[in-house]
Amino acid sequence: MPAADVYQLATRVHRHIGFQKIRLGAMLCVLEESGEWRGRTAASSFRGFLQEEGIYPQAARQYMKVARKFILELDMSPEQLRAVSRASMRVLCAAADVATRDNLDELVDLVATLPRPEAMEEIRLRFGGGESAEAPFSKPVGRILNEVGELTQTQRAELFSRLGMRTASARTSNAS
């Protein structure tokens, strides 16, 4: 296969992956809001559900943020979604922070055409956004929570026991 064909294929795959991340974000929003994630794994929290499903929670939250704004709130067209699907999730999150119906077309053009650093700078300059004002967790807590996601069920139970917390299975068996 000629290199030009490989490049075209790589571009299509990259666009497809980006589009699917946004699509996954929309589905995860629906699962979280409806509560339909409950009972599908042993997890007692949505974050735990994501971890048990092999979905990195921090990435999932980014996908969900982008989907919530662009699909569920602003009803972005499929053409617009395809146009921005190769952008980094960091850029899409920054755009989601400032997106409105009035500036959506301008944001789509900016995100679809500029490289990540330039897109981030333009979002900051034009719309006053670009970095989330507040992180959901402090960095140390975020690191710890990410590490917890790598633990086996037995290791989690040990950790929770050491922290003086009972696991969901322990609460269920004690309630009987």
Side-chain angles (χ1 to χ4, degrees), residues 102-124:
D102 294 335
N103 69 12
L104 186 60
D105 290 334
E106 183 179 2
L107 272 171
V108 168
D109 288 342
L110 186 151
V111 168
T113 58
L114 293 178
R116 186 183 61 77
E118 287 82 0
M120 293 296 287
E121 183 66 8
E122 283 299 311
I123 290 169
R124 188 184 66 73

Side-chain angles (χ1 to χ4, degrees), residues 69-70 73-74 94-104 107 127:
K69 177 58 94 169
F70 293 131
E73 185 180 320
L74 296 177
D97 285 340
V98 298
T100 65
R101 291 195 192 287
D102 294 335
N103 69 12
L104 186 60
L107 272 171
F127 307 104

Side-chain angles (χ1 to χ4, degrees), residues 1 4-14:
M1 179 180 281
D5 292 343
V6 172
Y7 173 77
Q8 291 300 320
L9 181 60
T11 299
R12 283 196 310 270
V13 168
H14 186 208

Side-chain angles (χ1 to χ4, degrees), residues 21-34 46 60-76 81 96 99 101:
K21 286 178 180 178
I22 298 168
R23 189 171 174 221
L24 175 61
M27 290 181 238
L28 292 173
C29 285
V30 170
L31 283 173
E32 182 181 38
E33 289 175 19
S34 69
F46 188 69
R61 289 292 176 194
Q62 289 179 329
Y63 305 161
M64 292 168 68
K65 176 181 184 173
V66 169
R68 187 174 285 115
K69 177 58 94 169
F70 293 131
I71 295 174
L72 303 176
E73 185 180 320
L74 296 177
D75 196 27
M76 187 183 263
L81 285 171
R101 291 195 192 287

Side-chain angles (χ1 to χ4, degrees), residues 137-165:
F137 304 106
S138 67
K139 285 186 180 189
V141 170
R143 278 194 301 271
I144 291 168
L145 289 173
N146 288 335
E147 290 295 320
V148 169
E150 299 299 319
L151 298 176
T152 65
Q153 289 290 353
T154 303
Q155 292 167 332
R156 285 184 199 173
E158 177 187 359
L159 172 65
F160 295 152
S161 172
R162 299 243 180 197
L163 292 173
M165 300 169 55

